[in-house]
Amino acid sequence: MATAVASSPAIGPTTGPVRSVREAVPTALWDKQVALLMRDYPYDSIMAARVLGQGYAHLLTAMRHRNEALGLAPSTIVDIGVHTIILDTVAYAELCDTFNGGHFLHHVPKAEFKYDGSVMKTAHRIAADGWEVDLPLWTDAAACGPCHPGNDSH
């Protein structure tokens, strides 16, 4: 499925509406995790919400494509959102129950940076799955991606 780059910071599939992760995350949990990002990083509420949203988009896409060996990888800044989500372990386990068929999606990072295009490939996979993509947050490589492609991990 082709993706189109919009003039706004979002890219999405050329067919159908773009979905927001806010539909998948309870408001109280979202607000808590935005506050955690603001506590731990020099983000205002807008930037924290952007980072968190892309973290959820990455995880939900990884769950949908579990064991497909796609080599999905977040950017460095999106990885901050991913870590905020997975470190809230009770909520993360519930996310896995709801969106991953009850299977826990493990986080198995690699130490070396990757500059092989996997970050942008991931952004386009997320867009192809219908999630909103905040493209400026996907422009670098991440130290934790891809994480053991083909295994039950992200």
Side-chain angles (χ1 to χ4, degrees):
M1 178 183 276
T3 57
V5 178
S7 59
S8 71
I11 61 173
T14 56
T15 60
V18 175
R19 298 181 297 164
S20 169
V21 297
R22 290 298 307 269
E23 300 164 11
V25 182
T27 300
L29 177 60
W30 179 269
D31 292 345
K32 173 187 172 188
Q33 291 175 335
V34 165
L36 289 170
L37 281 165
M38 291 170 56
R39 180 195 72 189
D40 295 340
Y41 296 92
Y43 299 156
D44 61 18
S45 61
I46 294 169
M47 186 62 176
R50 289 175 63 197
V51 170
L52 185 63
Q54 294 305 280
Y56 271 109
H58 171 73
L59 287 172
L60 293 170
T61 299
M63 288 176 186
R64 180 173 182 203
H65 296 282
R66 184 170 54 99
N67 292 324
E68 291 183 24
L70 297 179
L72 300 177
S75 68
T76 302
I77 196 163
V78 172
D79 197 43
I80 291 169
V82 169
H83 289 162
T84 298
I85 297 161
I86 66 175
L87 289 174
D88 193 349
T89 59
V90 172
Y92 180 60
E94 290 172 2
L95 185 77
C96 291
D97 283 344
T98 302
F99 292 98
N100 203 32
H103 300 281
F104 193 80
L105 186 66
H106 294 281
H107 183 59
V108 185
K110 294 188 175 190
E112 65 275 0
F113 282 93
K114 298 207 44 103
Y115 299 98
D116 63 355
S118 59
V119 170
M120 286 310 298
K121 179 179 126 184
T122 300
H124 285 278
R125 176 74 262 162
I126 290 168
D129 279 8
W131 297 111
E132 181 179 45
V133 174
D134 189 342
L135 193 56
L137 299 184
W138 289 90
T139 58
D140 65 351
C144 77
C147 302
H148 296 279
N151 291 335
D152 185 11
S153 64
H154 62 88

